[in-house]
Amino acid sequence: MLDIQLLRTQPEQVATGLARRGAAIDLAPFEALEAERKQVQTLTQELQQKRNTLSKQIGMLKGRESKGEDVAASLADVMGEVAGLGDALKANEDKLAVLLAQLDAFVAQIPNLPHESVPDGRDETGNAEIARWGTPPVFDFAVKDHVELGEGLGGLDFETGVKIAGSRFTLMKGDIARLHRALAQFMLDTHTREHGYTEVYAPYLVNPDSMFGTGQLPKFEEDLFRVERSDGSRLYLIPTAEVPVTNIVRGEILETERLPLRFVCHTPCFRSEAGSYGKDTRGMIRQHQFDKVELVQIVPPEASWEALEQLTGHAETILQKLNLPYRKMALCAGDMGFSAAKTYDLEVWLPAQNTYREISSCSNFEAFQARRMQARCRDKGGKPRPVHTLNGSGLAIGRTLVAVLENYQRADGSVGVPEVLRGYMGGVEALGVR
RNA sequence: GGAGAGGUGGCAGAGUGGUCGAAUGUACCUGACUCGAAAUCAGGCGUAGGGAAACCUACCGUGGGUUCGAAUCCCACCCUCUCCGCCA
């Protein structure tokens, strides 16, 4: 959520920022609402003040009455004066509540403003390559994709996934399932031991407040899986661990000196993938359910830009240790997610597609999520101010598995196990070798 | 699922219709005393909105209601704890 003060005082700045995203905004309705809000709020508060004053007078008169004084006349006066207030006050309070709700709703659906360092651009073609690491492997045989490799190894079973649940679900078995688990373990261990993150286990279903806090609601409900409960309430399956983990600090006022908080969390992620029909339908690239190790940081406002570079580096470390070639992209303003002020995507080399594909997305949200969540920090004796939040995949496990299979494949259809994973694989050096 | 208890400021904990945004303790901040600390003493110390300011308004789990006036009474819901049942 943007700072409503910014909308009031610097509307041009907001409009300019949103225009970079390709999102035009009409501020006229906002300004009209604001003008009315101001007027109604002032009037309401004046009426409240009057009522409070008169009610206190009644209280004092009653007190004197109980001591035997005759105050009947003044009591009648005051009662008469307050009698007319009720309806007007109620009407104004109701009107104000509606206005405030409308203002909230308006501000809540405005995306974050891009940071000045974010490149211009309308869509993914505007993204800027920042760096490349590693060299795509050269094969002297016909390259297979992960579907062929995984099915050949007997460990990726798309048909059974479809039978059990439907399209975009996969069943993994045997060594592939173990490799998948090994990847998660390896990532968690690296981030906790080498990068200073605290491991977190979090709920996979969350309430609407949490989804609002990180910005999935109200605008993106169609991307979520929803669970209706018998009591009429609802929960949502998390589309990323970002949601439960960032919401750890919702409604909290933290001591600045105890920041930053760094959390790492491995969860399944559930995405309805509405609107992506026909896209990446083959294989494991785009699934309704996939696992991800997520990095989350809660930092003081002045520290978030340095933290974004660090956090992105933490995700890159995983790719480097796995020896997977990748490139680092700065998303352009038009391609960024709703809540982000700046996003780096890491794209891993996929030989079968002969291209780089997104495997991690690292973002600084500045105070955008913190304002929605009322997550604040306070210096000793100071005023509370919103924290800054960041997160990034470190990494998406399903896609990492795809990248390992394709980059480590051999002519006979077997697949080498990256050295850093062998300890998690009982020493196995390759899959499919007999 | 059944029965009971309870949700008040960072924490603890009073407050059952009238200057209660809320006693008291504790934590924290400032000052005094001290070489310094501890102890002691004095003052300060919730969040948010409006206002140039004085100051005003709202908030006692959430949402309704009664009332001139609600932390306090009524209704619904949520959450926590204890016991029983069930359960990985």
Side-chain angles (χ1 to χ4, degrees), chain A residues 333-384:
Chain A
D335 200 33
M336 285 198 307
F338 179 75
S339 303
K342 180 170 186 173
T343 299
Y344 289 122
D345 270 10
L346 301 179
E347 298 182 343
V348 72
W349 177 256
L350 292 187
Q353 297 192 8
N354 198 38
T355 186
Y356 290 94
R357 289 300 303 258
E358 177 188 345
I359 197 166
S360 171
S361 194
C362 303
S363 303
N364 182 5
F365 302 92
E366 295 192 291
F368 189 84
Q369 293 180 328
R371 255 182 243 111
R372 297 177 151 242
M373 290 192 300
Q374 293 276 34
R376 290 159 290 179
C377 65
R378 172 160 48 197
D379 307 309
K380 270 227 158 65
K383 279 266 151 207

Side-chain angles (χ1 to χ4, degrees), chain A residues 91-406:
Chain A
N92 276 282
E93 281 176 342
D94 290 350
K95 199 169 169 189
L96 181 62
V98 170
L99 287 169
L100 288 175
Q102 286 174 340
L103 279 166
D104 266 0
F106 181 84
V107 179
Q109 50 86 43
I110 300 175
N112 203 355
L113 304 179
H115 186 252
E116 58 189 12
S117 68
V118 170
D120 284 319
R122 226 176 279 163
D123 51 35
E124 66 275 4
T125 59
N127 297 343
E129 184 175 312
I130 305 294
R132 280 187 193 216
W133 187 92
T135 314
V138 179
F139 298 98
D140 55 5
F141 54 88
V143 171
K144 295 179 175 136
D145 76 354
H146 71 280
V147 176
E148 209 176 331
L149 287 162
E151 286 178 342
L153 292 166
L156 276 187
D157 185 344
F158 296 97
E159 273 181 38
T160 306
V162 169
K163 177 176 78 178
I164 297 169
S167 66
R168 295 195 191 277
F169 287 94
T170 304
L171 187 74
M172 286 184 269
K173 291 182 292 195
D175 281 345
I176 302 267
R178 189 179 192 184
L179 183 63
H180 185 264
R181 172 162 59 92
L183 282 166
Q185 305 266 61
F186 161 66
M187 292 176 196
L188 284 169
D189 286 345
T190 302
H191 294 310
T192 54
R193 290 178 191 163
E194 296 177 24
H195 299 150
Y197 288 78
T198 301
E199 185 167 347
V200 165
Y201 174 85
Y204 299 166
L205 291 146
V206 301
N207 58 36
D209 283 348
S210 292
M211 283 295 182
F212 180 84
T214 35
Q216 281 74 20
L217 290 181
K219 276 194 97 174
F220 306 101
E221 179 156 24
E222 69 277 9
D223 297 334
L224 302 169
F225 285 105
R226 194 168 79 192
V227 178
E228 303 286 346
R229 296 212 279 180
S230 53
D231 65 2
S233 68
R234 61 182 49 158
L235 293 172
Y236 296 91
L237 275 72
I238 56 170
T240 157
E242 161 194 352
V243 178
V245 176
T246 309
N247 274 280
I248 289 173
V249 298
R250 170 152 56 86
E252 303 287 334
I253 300 179
L254 307 156
E255 291 172 36
T256 307
E257 58 193 19
R258 293 180 62 182
L259 300 178
L261 300 176
R262 293 196 181 97
F263 297 119
V264 59
C265 185
H266 165 219
T267 69
C269 303
F270 303 93
R271 299 189 180 177
S272 76
E273 296 296 343
S276 66
Y277 301 107
K279 220 177 182 180
D280 298 315
T281 50
R282 180 175 165 83
M284 290 184 66
I285 293 293
R286 194 174 299 275
Q287 298 277 287
H288 286 315
Q289 172 184 325
F290 64 95
D291 276 29
K292 181 158 59 69
V293 168
E294 184 78 357
L295 305 172
V296 172
Q297 291 200 27
I298 313 294
V299 305
E302 54 278 359
S304 66
W305 291 105
E306 194 187 341
L308 176 64
E309 300 300 322
Q310 284 175 357
L311 183 146
T312 308
H314 296 153
E316 289 180 63
T317 301
I318 301 295
L319 287 163
Q320 293 173 9
K321 283 176 182 276
L322 290 169
N323 204 27
L324 293 169
Y326 69 91
R327 60 178 188 171
K328 175 181 173 183
M329 308 290 287
L331 295 196
C332 70
D335 200 33
M336 285 198 307
F338 179 75
S339 303
K342 180 170 186 173
T343 299
Y344 289 122
D345 270 10
L346 301 179
E347 298 182 343
V348 72
W349 177 256
L350 292 187
Q353 297 192 8
N354 198 38
T355 186
Y356 290 94
R357 289 300 303 258
E358 177 188 345
I359 197 166
S360 171
S361 194
C362 303
S363 303
N364 182 5
F365 302 92
E366 295 192 291
F368 189 84
Q369 293 180 328
R371 255 182 243 111
R372 297 177 151 242
M373 290 192 300
Q374 293 276 34
R376 290 159 290 179
C377 65
R378 172 160 48 197
D379 307 309
K380 270 227 158 65
K383 279 266 151 207
R385 49 198 182 127
V387 295
H388 281 192
T389 62
L390 305 98
N391 68 58
S393 353
L395 308 161
I397 295 169
R399 287 189 181 180
T400 309
L401 183 77
V402 168
V404 168
L405 290 176
E406 294 194 4

